[in-house]
Amino acid sequence: MQKQIIKKYYKLFIVKPKTRLDNYLRETLPIMYTRSIIHKIIRLGNVFINKNQIINKNYKLNKKDIIEIYNLYIKTPKFLLTSENIKLNIIYEDEYLLIINKPFNSVVHPGTSHPKGTILNGLKFYLEKNKNKLKQPYLGNRIDKETSGLILVVTDEKILKNISKQFTLNLIKKKYIALVNGKIEKNNITIYSNILRNRKTKYNMDIAKFRGKVCISSFKVIEILKYITVLKCRIYTGRTHQIRVHLKKIGHPIFNDKKYGGDQILCDNIPLCKQKIINHIIKNSNFIALHANSLELIHPIFRKTRKYNSIIPYQIYLLIKIMSTL
């Protein structure tokens, strides 16, 4: 993949002292320089103040400061979607949309880490072979790589706009099955909290409280086992890792979700033999116990409510059986 480098030089004289560096650049530079681009320019070390390199976006400017910007911002072009013969579990399709049941650890769309071998690559091959070479797959929703379950795919940009509007108006209902650590005593829980968009850094509730986006999730207890609880989950907003973050917030992370503490046993006084079994399951499992099992929407063409369901994968079913015998 080729990278395009934009080379420009700016020299700025401060007229608004005590202003934060990134805010000043956002107000001063041309409109094409968005806040995210400015932050990247600063992180790359391309900003100098009085001949000193500054990589702190929060730097407070002084009246006599002179800013020099050597803008070497790297732009990565969009991925060219290629066709690949990948096995897909299609549970519904018509001329306008498809519902895919995604297995664990399969990537939905191409990216820097996974340029090939994704669900979208397989869908492009499927459409070219079975439907129309001119049609392109567009994602209606996404789920994490480690999560399994239903994905909505459409074959037209106008239909995609309809689906996006349904999500905005909360007309699409997404439900999940989750196995979480510990026992949850309440039958129903609803969580309102702010979630930051960036999932690369460790989740910080204090920062998210002021800078994140308000998200809503509800949880209903299906079954309580000795060391885990089976939940039915519904999300009313679509933030990245929303269910995983909210379950961590209430102290019951998803079983085997190592990113959010789900690889730690929460119950006390577990017999050593049973503790070894649970540790063995966690160590040798490459999935998190979360499955998107239900998707309900208004069909964009037929204008009728449609509901699609999938059974839980055998990994989660087997996990419930094992944990119920401990």
Side-chain angles (χ1 to χ4, degrees), residues 209-240:
K209 183 177 180 180
F210 300 102
R211 292 173 50 195
K213 177 183 176 183
V214 176
C215 299
I216 307 170
S217 306
S218 65
F219 306 99
K220 182 179 180 180
V221 173
I222 298 176
E223 186 178 4
I224 300 175
L225 302 177
K226 198 166 185 179
Y227 305 117
I228 65 171
T229 302
V230 183
L231 296 178
K232 181 182 289 185
C233 319
R234 182 182 174 189
I235 55 175
Y236 298 87
T237 49
R239 208 60 164 173
T240 303

Side-chain angles (χ1 to χ4, degrees), residues 187-200:
N187 289 330
N188 295 281
I189 301 173
T190 300
I191 301 176
Y192 301 81
S193 76
N194 291 23
I195 296 179
L196 289 168
R197 183 174 185 176
N198 186 4
R199 298 266 60 84
K200 294 181 180 179

Side-chain angles (χ1 to χ4, degrees), residues 6-50:
I6 303 173
K7 297 185 179 181
K8 286 187 179 180
Y9 170 76
Y10 290 96
K11 189 172 184 178
L12 306 172
F13 298 89
I14 303 306
V15 293
K16 291 178 66 176
K18 304 300 180 183
T19 306
R20 216 171 72 174
L21 174 61
D22 60 339
N23 291 336
Y24 182 79
L25 295 182
R26 182 71 184 91
E27 295 173 3
T28 309
L29 292 176
I31 194 170
M32 65 178 179
Y33 293 94
T34 63
R35 187 173 297 276
S36 61
I37 291 177
I38 289 170
H39 287 175
K40 188 168 288 189
I41 292 171
I42 297 171
R43 288 199 307 270
L44 288 171
N46 298 328
V47 177
F48 290 77
I49 299 179
N50 306 325

Side-chain angles (χ1 to χ4, degrees), residues 61-83:
L61 297 170
N62 296 310
K63 188 174 183 180
K64 295 183 179 180
D65 284 344
I66 299 174
I67 304 177
E68 293 177 283
I69 306 171
Y70 301 86
N71 181 9
L72 301 177
Y73 173 62
I74 298 173
K75 289 185 70 178
T76 303
K78 290 184 178 180
F79 285 88
L80 179 64
L81 188 62
T82 57
S83 300

Side-chain angles (χ1 to χ4, degrees), residues 85-99:
N85 189 2
I86 298 172
K87 186 177 180 181
L88 301 171
N89 183 6
I90 300 174
I91 68 169
Y92 174 83
E93 65 173 308
D94 58 34
E95 187 180 349
Y96 312 102
L97 58 83
L98 300 93
I99 306 294

Side-chain angles (χ1 to χ4, degrees), residues 59 74 142 178 181 205 240 242 250 267-268 307:
Y59 178 90
I74 298 173
R142 303 179 185 185
N181 284 336
M205 191 65 66
T240 303
Q242 179 173 322
I250 64 173
C267 300
D268 298 325
K307 186 174 182 180

